[in-house]
């Protein structure tokens, strides 16, 4: 058994890179020396022929028919952290925000016919900007920890949170856009996805000011903001890997809860 352990250590030495193993783990090679009598001395408890020695080493380099691959720590490349994107953040962000973004696009496109008519008093437009119209967080669910309520009044039911669909659209679009990054060095505002989202927000923010306080039945200025925003929205959707507005994909309603998959269904 001791002999097997020593030989396995030498196998690691050869396949992990001799310099690194020798410097960091000298015990890998201590006690091993080729003698003039064609023997490999590994201490008094382990004497092997040179041929047997190498055969034993090679037998350790395969496990269940697959090559044993040992990487030196110097070869490991960091992913860039939790915000690095590609293999961590982007799939998670899609599950969290795809539903909310797609539902917001659905309601945004529903305003189209009324915007074309120029009637900013229409219910579809007013609903989109109404800060009391959309349930963002459902109330009534228990927030007790392990069955224990820590609130002084003993009421651990969650409060319902409402906001406008547009405000939730801004939040979810920004968070989704911010996840499309490959490292932590680039500031969020420099990301193409975030730039596209903010360009869209600028147009709809201007439209919101016109239609919320004093909506008109013939508002050409609001129409222009909407038309510009529609083109900008398509640019954003392309960057975050969502279908364009004219694809027919947004004719349906979407579940805004955290999804089970990052894929489009």
């Amino acid at each position: 058994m001791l002999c097997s352990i020593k030989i396995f250590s030498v196998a690691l030495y050869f396949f992990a890179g001799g310099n690194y193993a020798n410097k960091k783990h000298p015990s890998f090679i201590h006690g091993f020396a080729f003698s003039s009598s064609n023997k490999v001395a590994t201490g008094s408890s382990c004497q092997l022929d040179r041929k047997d020695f190498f055969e034993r080493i090679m037998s350790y380099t395969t496990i269940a028919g697959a090559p044993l691959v040992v990487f030196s720590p110097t070869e490991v490349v960091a992913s860039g952290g939790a915000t690095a994107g590609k293999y961590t953040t982007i799939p998670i962000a899609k599950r969290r925000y795809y539903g909310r973004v797609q539902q917001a696009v659905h309601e945004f496109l529903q305003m189209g016919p009324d915007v074309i008519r120029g009637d900013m008093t229409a219910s579809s437009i007013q609903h989109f900007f109404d800060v009391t119209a959309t349930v963002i967080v459902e109330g009534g669910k228990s927030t007790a920890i392990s069955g224990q309520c820590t609130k002084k009044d003993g009421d651990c039911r969650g409060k319902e949170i409402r906001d406008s669909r547009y405000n939730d659209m801004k939040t979810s679009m920004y968070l989704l856009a911010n996840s499309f990054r490959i490292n932590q060095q680039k500031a969020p505002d420099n990301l193409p996805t975030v730039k596209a989202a903010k360009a869209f927000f600028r147009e709809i923010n201007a439209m919101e000011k016109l239609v919320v306080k004093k909506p008109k039945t013939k508002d050409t200025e609001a129409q222009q903001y909407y038309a510009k925003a529609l083109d900008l929205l398509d640019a954003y959707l392309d960057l975050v890997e969502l279908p364009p507005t004219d694809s027919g994909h947004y004719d349906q309603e979407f579940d805004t809860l955290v999804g089970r998959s990052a894929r489009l269904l």
Side-chain angles (χ1 to χ4, degrees):
M1 180 66 179
L2 177 60
C3 188
S4 296
I5 293 173
K6 287 186 175 183
I7 294 172
F8 184 67
S9 297
V10 174
L12 287 177
Y13 169 76
F14 282 113
F15 286 89
N19 290 336
Y20 174 80
N22 192 25
K23 291 178 181 179
K24 299 296 183 181
H25 300 282
S27 61
F28 280 3
I29 58 172
H30 282 179
F32 290 88
F34 292 105
S35 68
S36 58
S37 60
N38 204 37
K39 296 286 186 180
V40 179
T42 62
S44 60
S45 62
C46 187
Q47 295 288 333
L48 298 173
D49 289 335
R50 190 190 300 260
K51 179 180 178 182
D52 188 27
F53 174 75
F54 281 106
E55 286 179 351
R56 294 280 292 276
I57 285 182
M58 295 308 296
S59 70
Y60 283 115
T61 63
T62 56
I63 298 175
L68 173 65
V69 180
V70 181
F71 295 98
S72 169
T74 58
E75 296 174 350
V76 176
V77 179
S79 66
T83 57
K86 290 304 178 186
Y87 305 108
T88 53
T89 303
I90 293 176
I92 293 172
K94 286 179 178 180
R95 287 193 292 270
R96 287 179 177 173
Y97 308 121
Y98 256 13
R100 290 165 62 183
V101 171
Q102 290 175 104
Q103 179 61 24
V105 174
H106 167 72
E107 295 187 26
F108 177 78
L109 295 177
Q110 280 188 323
M111 296 193 298
D114 291 322
V115 172
I116 291 174
R117 287 193 293 270
D119 185 5
M120 301 304 146
T121 65
S123 60
S124 65
I125 298 175
Q126 292 301 311
H127 182 274
F128 187 75
F129 294 108
D130 186 352
V131 294
T132 64
T134 303
V135 177
I136 306 301
V137 179
E138 294 182 359
K141 294 183 179 179
S142 175
T143 59
I145 302 174
S146 299
Q148 299 295 320
C149 183
T150 58
K151 292 188 176 180
K152 292 182 179 180
D153 60 3
D155 185 3
C156 275
R157 291 174 298 176
K159 304 296 182 183
E160 183 181 80
I161 299 176
R162 288 178 171 265
D163 205 342
S164 69
R165 176 58 66 195
Y166 176 52
N167 283 341
D168 187 61
M169 185 183 197
K170 287 193 288 186
T171 301
S172 55
M173 281 180 63
Y174 177 82
L175 292 172
L176 178 61
N178 191 37
S179 72
F180 278 76
R181 57 197 308 173
I182 59 174
N183 57 57
Q184 292 179 321
Q185 307 303 318
K186 203 165 189 177
D189 288 346
N190 292 332
L191 297 173
T193 48
V194 173
K195 288 181 178 180
K198 288 190 171 184
F200 171 79
F201 299 156
R202 281 194 294 271
E203 300 301 324
I204 300 303
N205 285 344
M207 178 182 176
E208 182 181 28
K209 292 178 181 179
L210 295 175
V211 305
V212 171
K213 293 183 178 180
K214 294 180 180 181
K216 301 176 183 178
T217 55
K218 291 294 181 180
D219 194 333
T220 56
E221 188 177 1
Q223 287 177 320
Q224 292 173 359
Y225 286 130
Y226 183 89
K228 291 178 182 178
L230 191 59
D231 290 336
L232 294 169
L233 180 58
D234 273 326
Y236 170 84
L237 293 174
D238 181 61
L239 289 171
V240 298
E241 302 172 1
L242 280 170
T245 56
D246 61 357
S247 63
H249 177 73
Y250 304 100
D251 293 344
Q252 59 183 315
E253 292 194 349
F254 297 87
D255 189 349
T256 57
L257 298 178
V258 174
R260 294 181 181 179
S261 173
R263 297 182 179 181
L264 294 174
L265 301 178

